[in-house]
Amino acid sequence: MTNEDNLKNLALRPNITEKENAWNLVPGDIVEHWMPHYLSVGSREATQLQREERMYYAPCVFCGRHIGRIKVEGAVETCARNNCEESNRPRKVPE
């Protein structure tokens, strides 16, 4: 695999802005560190992308794995037994 192959899936999302209090530009996996209730269920401030970024790093309540790992490895017995939503999705095979 070449460096170009490794960079195909690389995404850059800079979070530098001239705007003051532009919390909608802060990645979802770190925004709650600075704004604890920003992503709460009733909040209308967070973007869909921020919510997805946050959940990417949240461990599964059944197996304790992060969503990226579940997508690559597939469901384990614990997930299937608890009818985990991710256990019903097709497995993502790395390129």
Side-chain angles (χ1 to χ4, degrees), residues 12 14 19 22 34 37 40 55 60-61 65 69 73-74 88:
L12 178 63
K19 297 177 185 176
W34 303 103
H37 302 290
S40 64
M55 292 310 296
C60 171
V61 296
R65 298 177 301 156
R69 187 170 166 204
E73 296 174 354
N88 298 323

Side-chain angles (χ1 to χ4, degrees), residues 62-63 75-84 87-88:
F62 301 119
C63 68
V76 294
E77 184 181 332
T78 305
C79 297
R81 186 173 52 242
N82 289 291
N83 200 24
C84 174
S87 69
N88 298 323

Side-chain angles (χ1 to χ4, degrees), residues 1-94:
M1 190 181 303
T2 67
N3 280 342
E4 285 184 26
D5 291 334
N6 287 332
L7 295 177
K8 273 194 242 180
N9 295 322
L10 179 66
L12 178 63
R13 183 170 174 222
N15 57 349
I16 299 172
T17 182
E18 294 175 345
K19 297 177 185 176
E20 218 175 297
N21 296 316
W23 292 104
N24 62 314
L25 301 177
V26 178
D29 52 318
I30 62 171
V31 71
E32 277 196 316
H33 177 76
W34 303 103
M35 296 289 288
H37 302 290
Y38 189 79
L39 292 169
S40 64
V41 176
S43 171
R44 295 184 182 175
E45 298 175 20
T47 66
Q48 183 61 31
L49 179 58
Q50 286 175 310
R51 294 182 190 283
E52 289 171 9
E53 288 170 334
R54 174 184 175 219
M55 292 310 296
Y56 188 83
Y57 295 99
C60 171
V61 296
F62 301 119
C63 68
R65 298 177 301 156
H66 299 282
I67 192 70
R69 187 170 166 204
I70 293 170
K71 286 183 178 193
V72 170
E73 296 174 354
V76 294
E77 184 181 332
T78 305
C79 297
R81 186 173 52 242
N82 289 291
N83 200 24
C84 174
E85 185 178 323
E86 286 302 320
S87 69
N88 298 323
R89 293 186 186 181
R91 186 174 153 205
K92 181 180 179 181
V93 179

